[in-house]
Amino acid sequence: MISLREKLHLAHVPVAYGCMIVRRPADETFRPCCYLPVLVRQSSGPMVVGVKLRWECETYGASTEVRVREVAEGRLIRFVWATMSS
């Protein structure tokens, strides 16, 4: 007999999308976000296109590698991260 665990499998790779609306003027918030995003307690450096960073959140005991894909001054920061590890 096949167990339920053996029947379950992923049909495709899971994907998540997230965004945040900041209700403050861009000139007040953009630079701080480049250096230390919300909820991240430690970053290995600023968010600059092409850079690979290490983010750590001591509150949850988690860390991840982040790759910065795009930065549009005062408008957009696009990045991807690896699977969270703890």
Side-chain angles (χ1 to χ4, degrees):
M1 181 174 200
I2 298 175
S3 70
L4 179 59
R5 184 179 200 105
E6 292 172 323
K7 290 180 184 180
L8 297 175
H9 68 279
L10 291 175
H12 54 74
V13 176
V15 175
Y17 173 81
C19 65
M20 180 185 333
I21 296 174
V22 178
R23 298 191 185 281
R24 304 286 297 170
D27 58 343
E28 286 182 28
T29 58
F30 187 80
R31 290 238 180 251
C33 285
C34 284
Y35 285 91
L36 197 59
V38 177
L39 300 179
V40 175
R41 296 296 171 237
Q42 290 184 316
S43 177
S44 59
M47 297 185 76
V48 178
V49 176
V51 170
K52 183 172 30 171
L53 303 171
R54 183 101 189 136
W55 283 357
E56 295 184 17
C57 183
E58 294 171 355
T59 305
Y60 301 104
S63 65
T64 189
E65 180 181 281
V66 176
R67 292 179 186 261
V68 182
R69 299 285 187 200
E70 181 181 0
V71 176
E73 184 73 29
R75 200 179 132 262
L76 169 82
I77 303 170
R78 181 171 288 143
F79 59 92
V80 295
W81 61 70
T83 303
M84 296 294 283
S85 62
S86 54

